[in-house]
Amino acid sequence: MEPLELSPPTAERVRLAERVVVFSGAGVSRESGLDTFRGAGGLWERMRPEELATPQAFRADPAKVWRWYAWRYGQAAAAAPNPAHDAIARLETLFPSVLVVTQNVDGLHQRAGSRNLLELHGTITRAVCERCGRSREMAGAVAESSERPPVCACGGRFRPAVVWFGEALPEAALVRAYEEATFCDLFISVGTSGTVYPAAGLIELAHQAGACLIEVNPEPTPFSRLMDLRLAAPAGEAFPALVEAMAIERSRDREEPIIG
Ligand code: NAD
C-alpha cells in the first residue's frame, strides 16, 4: 500500500491522543490463513454455527464439536501473526494507553506482543471443565484426546474456553471494554463485520462519546458511515501503513519547538 497521508483533522486527533482502543475481529487473522465467519470464504459458508458453536450442540454431540475445535486450534497454533497484528502491537510504543479488545479466539495478538488485551469471546488456546471450571492448555487437552472431549478429574467434560452463541460474555472484560470505549481518544475497528452484539455496540459507544473513529476493512460495515477515516484494504497492508502515518504524526509533536 502507498504511504498514507492523514487528513489534517485526523492528524490532529492522532497527535493529541492518549488513549487508544483497537477493536479487532476475524478479518485481522485472515492473512495469517485463518478463516473468518462471515464474508467470502468464511467458515460458516461451509458449516452452520448453530450446529457447532453453541452449548446445545456440545450437549447433543460433544465429540463432533470437540473435533471441530481441535481442528481450529491446530490451525491457530500453526498460524503466525501477520503484519497487522505486529502493527497493532507497535501502537503501544506510540501512545500512553493502548487496549486491544478482540473478538478473536486465536491468540495471535498475544503472540505478536500486544500486552493490554481483552478477549471478549474467550480463547481457543485453553480448555475448561464444564463442571468444576478447571482450566488447562488446549495443546495438552487435544494431545490427550483429539476425537472427544477429555474428562476432568471431577468427572466433567473439558470444552474450549470460548464464548458460544447464546452464552454471556465475561462480564468484567465487557465492563472494562465499555469504559475504555467511552474514554478513548481514538477507536480503531479492524477486520470485524460489526454484526455480533454486544461487542459491536462498542463502536456506537465510542462514536457517541466523541472518539475519532477509524475502520480497516476491505468491505463496508454497518458502521462505515460513522468513520472519520476508512481504509478499504486488507489489514495486513493497511494497518502497518496507518501505524507508520501515526508514528510520523507523533514524532512531529515531539519535534515541535517550545516557544516562550
Ligand atoms: P466476521 O467473520 O463477522 O467478519 C469478518 C470481517 O473481516 C468482515 O467484515 C470482512 O469484510 C473482514 N475482512 C476479511 N478479510 C479481511 C482482511 N484481510 N483485513 C481486514 N478485514 C477483513 O468476524 P467478526 O466480526 O470477528 O465476528 C465475530 C465472531 O467471529 C466472533 O464470535 C469471533 O469469535 C469469531 N471468529 C474468530 C476467529 C479467530 O479467532 N481468528 C475466526 C473466525 C470467527
Side-chain angles (χ1 to χ4, degrees), residues 15-196:
R15 254 196 315 278
L16 299 175
E18 297 199 344
R19 299 171 82 112
V20 179
V21 171
V22 177
F23 180 48
S24 76
V28 81
S29 295
R30 186 82 194 272
E31 289 148 274
S32 294
L34 302 180
D35 274 345
T36 59
F37 277 5
R38 295 167 197 84
L43 283 175
W44 298 131
E45 272 185 44
R46 284 172 271 134
M47 269 163 279
R48 288 156 54 82
E50 56 273 25
E51 280 173 17
L52 293 161
T54 66
Q56 294 83 344
F58 190 60
R59 272 197 299 276
D61 194 343
K64 180 177 175 189
V65 172
W66 182 258
R67 276 199 305 275
W68 191 57
Y69 277 95
W71 172 76
R72 285 186 61 199
Y73 168 72
Q75 300 269 309
N82 68 56
H85 296 104
D86 294 339
I88 291 167
R90 185 183 167 204
L91 286 174
E92 291 185 18
T93 66
L94 301 180
F95 297 94
S97 160
V98 177
L99 175 68
V100 179
V101 180
T102 190
Q103 300 165 92
N104 293 348
V105 297
D106 55 33
L108 291 179
H109 284 300
Q110 289 95 324
R111 285 170 57 197
S114 283
R115 287 170 307 169
N116 201 10
L117 183 70
L118 292 180
E119 293 174 304
L120 287 184
H121 294 168
T123 177
I124 206 170
T125 65
R126 298 197 69 79
V128 63
C129 170
E130 63 175 355
R131 187 183 293 172
C132 73
R134 198 189 128 211
S135 155
R136 63 187 289 195
E137 296 276 344
M138 191 68 165
V142 169
E144 184 186 319
S145 169
S146 59
E147 292 298 314
R148 56 187 51 78
V151 177
C152 180
C154 78
R157 271 183 310 227
F158 279 98
R159 55 163 282 180
V162 300
V163 178
W164 279 327
F165 291 98
E167 291 185 323
L169 270 63
E171 182 153 355
L174 195 59
V175 167
R176 175 137 183 257
Y178 273 84
E179 254 170 40
E180 295 280 345
T182 308
F183 293 112
C184 70
D185 305 301
L186 298 180
F187 186 97
I188 312 172
S189 168
V190 51
T192 177
S193 59
T195 50
V196 180

